[in-house]
Amino acid sequence: MIRIKAGVPRSGRPRTHARPRRRGLPLALPTAWGAVAVGYRFGCPLAEQNALGARIVTSAVFFAVGTGLILHVRRTLLRELRQARKVAGAAQSVLLRPLPPRLAGLHVAAAQLSADRGASIGGDLYEAVATEHGVRVVMGDVRGHGLAAVATAAAVLGSFREAAHDEPELGRVLGRLDRALARHLRERARTEHPSSGLDPDDPVAEEFVTLLLLEIVGDGEVRAINCGHPWPYVLSGARVAPLSAADPLPPLGPFPLPTDLAATDCGQLSDGESLVLFTDGAEDARDARGRFFSLPEALGKAVGDRPASPQAVLRTVFTALLHHTNGRPADDIALLVIHNGRTHHHAPSGARGTARATPTHPRPTDYFERPLL
């Protein structure tokens, strides 16, 4: 077997000038334009004349040179912006990976709308996995924006993706998430303040995560643990109602969890019914007059008199949200819709606890990247 070392041609001569030459290409055009301007200024007799015609020609030459440089800089910045968006899209697919359209007989769809039109990721998080303990779902919202919120969301999601399969009880899953969040905040505080050399007892007291854990087992029995997050809505025909009226626990982060973490029994998700999980940005969205967005009303219109697919619900709600906010939401918004279709579509035998994503399943942001804007 013949191995060819990267960067060395088959003749054995190393291409020592390839990389410097490639790096120098972006500077070729500005250098050429500068050379034209300097050559004209000092080498053309017309540039030394003070007549009106000579001044007009000189001004035109320098205007052309300046325009060329501006266009070159603009083209370079656009190329870097496209590359940054590709990187953000890759990070989005890792953090909020596309959910499979079906999980153990449940139809699932999710999407996120970022408040910053130039951003693809934020502090909202969601995930749904099929386990031997049932279908488990998390929906959360990290306080704040930016890379710090993204890192916190990644820490919580990474812990959930393991704990959802390992822990038989939902309360123990939440305990794992709480410990993962505390560990992440301690490590972040140690990185931000390395001079102390000590682990702070309360590293980032103002940081918190609102979180909702759901578990759907059997023929649709729903159990939940809510830590400061809005309760989801149940769509049953044209009726829209909250899943529960119980008081939620405090958000994760500022306060310790109670010793007894019992999940709340939320009844049964019957065939044809849907659950809509969302972050508070959906109900806090305001129009130009300061009026809040009515999510139950939008959900009622999305369902109508017959059950709607999760994708149709997402499209209708996001269209209404963008219309209400004039295309400028003030906060990130995430929605996740779960529809019970087990009676009409049974899961394949032997596929308990597994989920397969189809290659044609869209990315989570596709629902609002289509012509909704």
Side-chain angles (χ1 to χ4, degrees), residues 29 62 64 71 83 107 143 145 153 177 197 205 220-221 246 248 256 269 273 310 317:
L29 184 60
F62 280 95
L71 291 177
Q83 182 64 25
H107 300 267
R143 177 188 178 274
H145 301 276
L177 302 189
E221 182 182 356
L269 185 67
E273 293 183 339
V317 173

Side-chain angles (χ1 to χ4, degrees), residues 19-360:
R19 185 171 298 177
R21 187 181 306 160
R22 193 181 303 115
R23 291 179 178 177
L25 286 178
L27 299 177
L29 184 60
T31 303
W33 282 107
V36 170
V38 173
Y40 174 81
R41 179 65 180 84
F42 296 101
C44 182
L46 188 62
E48 303 294 334
Q49 299 180 10
N50 294 324
L52 179 61
R55 291 183 178 181
I56 292 176
V57 173
T58 302
S59 299
V61 170
F62 280 95
F63 177 78
V65 171
T67 302
L69 290 175
I70 292 174
L71 291 177
H72 174 74
V73 171
R74 179 179 181 272
R75 189 179 300 109
T76 303
L77 293 177
L78 288 177
R79 189 186 309 116
E80 294 179 356
L81 178 60
R82 286 193 294 268
Q83 182 64 25
R85 287 183 173 177
K86 288 181 180 179
V87 174
Q92 168 84 357
S93 63
V94 174
L95 180 62
L96 296 180
R97 59 190 183 189
L99 300 181
R102 289 181 56 78
L103 283 173
L106 300 175
H107 300 267
V108 182
Q112 184 201 19
L113 179 62
S114 177
D116 186 359
R117 300 189 65 172
S120 301
I121 53 180
D124 293 347
L125 59 97
Y126 56 80
E127 181 63 287
V129 293
T131 71
E132 60 180 352
H133 315 294
V135 176
R136 287 178 166 175
V137 185
V138 64
M139 171 70 77
D141 189 359
V142 179
R143 177 188 178 274
H145 301 276
L147 294 178
V150 174
T152 303
V156 175
L157 277 177
S159 179
F160 171 79
R161 286 163 181 163
E162 291 186 1
H165 291 278
D166 297 341
E167 302 296 345
E169 298 178 5
L170 204 59
R172 296 177 63 177
V173 176
L174 182 62
R176 291 268 295 268
L177 302 189
D178 184 59
R179 291 192 295 272
L181 175 63
R183 182 169 56 251
H184 166 74
L185 293 180
R186 284 197 302 269
E187 292 174 354
R188 199 180 86 185
R190 191 184 305 117
T191 303
E192 293 175 352
H193 306 284
S195 59
S196 64
L198 300 175
D199 291 338
D201 296 330
D202 195 7
V204 192
E206 68 277 7
E207 291 292 337
F208 62 87
V209 180
T210 65
L211 204 69
L212 176 70
L213 283 178
L214 279 182
E215 184 179 76
I216 305 175
V217 298
D219 56 352
E221 182 182 356
V222 181
R223 292 191 289 265
I225 299 181
N226 192 341
C227 294
H229 200 81
W231 283 106
Y233 287 108
V234 181
L235 308 183
S236 180
R239 184 177 65 89
V240 180
L243 177 64
S244 175
D247 294 332
L249 297 171
L252 292 184
F255 306 101
L257 291 174
T259 55
D260 184 15
L261 283 173
T264 302
D265 187 1
C266 300
Q268 186 176 6
L269 185 67
S270 302
D271 178 55
E273 293 183 339
S274 299
L275 275 176
V276 180
L277 290 73
F278 58 94
T279 54
D280 57 4
E283 291 191 322
D284 292 345
R286 301 194 185 198
D287 61 5
R289 300 180 182 178
R291 296 174 299 182
F292 289 101
F293 178 73
S294 178
L295 182 58
E297 181 180 347
L299 291 174
K301 293 180 180 179
V303 176
D305 297 332
R306 62 183 63 184
S309 67
Q311 292 83 358
V313 173
L314 288 178
R315 283 193 293 267
T316 303
V317 173
F318 276 123
T319 301
L321 270 167
L322 291 172
H323 178 74
H324 184 81
T325 59
N326 196 24
R328 298 182 181 90
D331 195 6
D332 298 337
I333 301 169
L335 267 74
L336 191 153
V337 183
I338 304 172
H339 177 74
N340 188 353
R342 286 172 171 170
T343 300
H344 303 288
H345 302 278
H346 297 284
S349 60
R352 180 183 175 90
T354 61
R356 298 180 180 178
T358 59
T360 57

